[in-house]
Amino acid sequence: MTHDEIKKLDKKGLRDFGLLIGGLIAVLFGLVVPLLRRHSLPWWPWAICAVLVVLALVAPKALNPIYHAWMKFGILLNKIETPIILGIVFYLIVWPMGVIKNLFGEDAMRRKLNPKMDTYRVPRTKVSMERPF
């Protein structure tokens, strides 16, 4: 989603946003994180949850600036996070698989030159479109 795609939501969309984000903040930062870290339960996630839920139920249009800020934050995280995750996937999964296949001499794309071959053309196999699988 780009900056241009962030549009005004209708009342139902803003209400759903307020209820969902309020609930997530309360559960995540009010229960899960403190219990995992063995801390006492903080009050501030519940206060944020209460404000978001009340606004969602009473005046959903008031959540429009919060929604836009949240979406811009999401776009920023996307620009930072996506290259990191794709790099990790490539260097931990794709690259080692290629190295291992290369060590065992497998050439899935058949790129090795063979001077004894007349052509490198692979004949097409006909597939019936009535029963393609």
Side-chain angles (χ1 to χ4, degrees):
M1 184 179 280
T2 64
H3 295 285
D4 297 331
E5 294 174 357
I6 299 176
K7 297 177 183 173
K8 284 183 151 182
L9 284 182
D10 58 344
K11 284 185 177 182
K12 182 184 181 329
L14 289 169
R15 183 175 294 122
D16 291 345
F17 168 76
L19 294 173
L20 178 71
I21 298 304
L24 283 175
I25 288 173
V27 170
L28 190 64
F29 295 109
L31 289 176
V32 175
V33 172
L35 292 177
L36 287 176
R37 298 178 122 201
R38 298 183 182 174
H39 291 157
S40 62
L41 298 179
W43 62 269
W44 62 268
W46 299 100
I48 294 172
C49 172
V51 168
L52 288 174
V53 168
V54 168
L55 284 175
L57 295 175
V58 175
K61 294 279 186 183
L63 291 173
N64 209 21
I66 298 170
Y67 170 77
H68 285 291
W70 185 264
M71 288 296 123
K72 287 180 182 179
F73 177 67
I75 290 170
L76 175 68
L77 278 181
N78 178 42
K79 290 182 179 184
I80 295 169
E81 199 174 275
T82 300
I84 293 171
I85 291 173
L86 289 177
I88 289 170
V89 167
F90 178 78
Y91 285 109
L92 291 180
I93 297 172
V94 177
W95 183 73
M97 284 176 29
V99 169
I100 291 169
K101 286 180 129 186
N102 195 15
L103 288 174
F104 286 110
E106 186 174 332
D107 187 20
M109 292 176 58
R110 292 182 238 156
R111 293 176 292 169
K112 292 182 181 171
L113 295 176
N114 187 352
K116 296 179 183 177
M117 291 178 67
D118 293 334
T119 182
Y120 289 101
R121 182 179 178 275
V122 177
R124 182 179 72 133
T125 57
K126 291 186 178 183
V127 177
S128 169
M129 291 312 289
E130 289 178 9
R131 304 184 105 201
F133 303 105

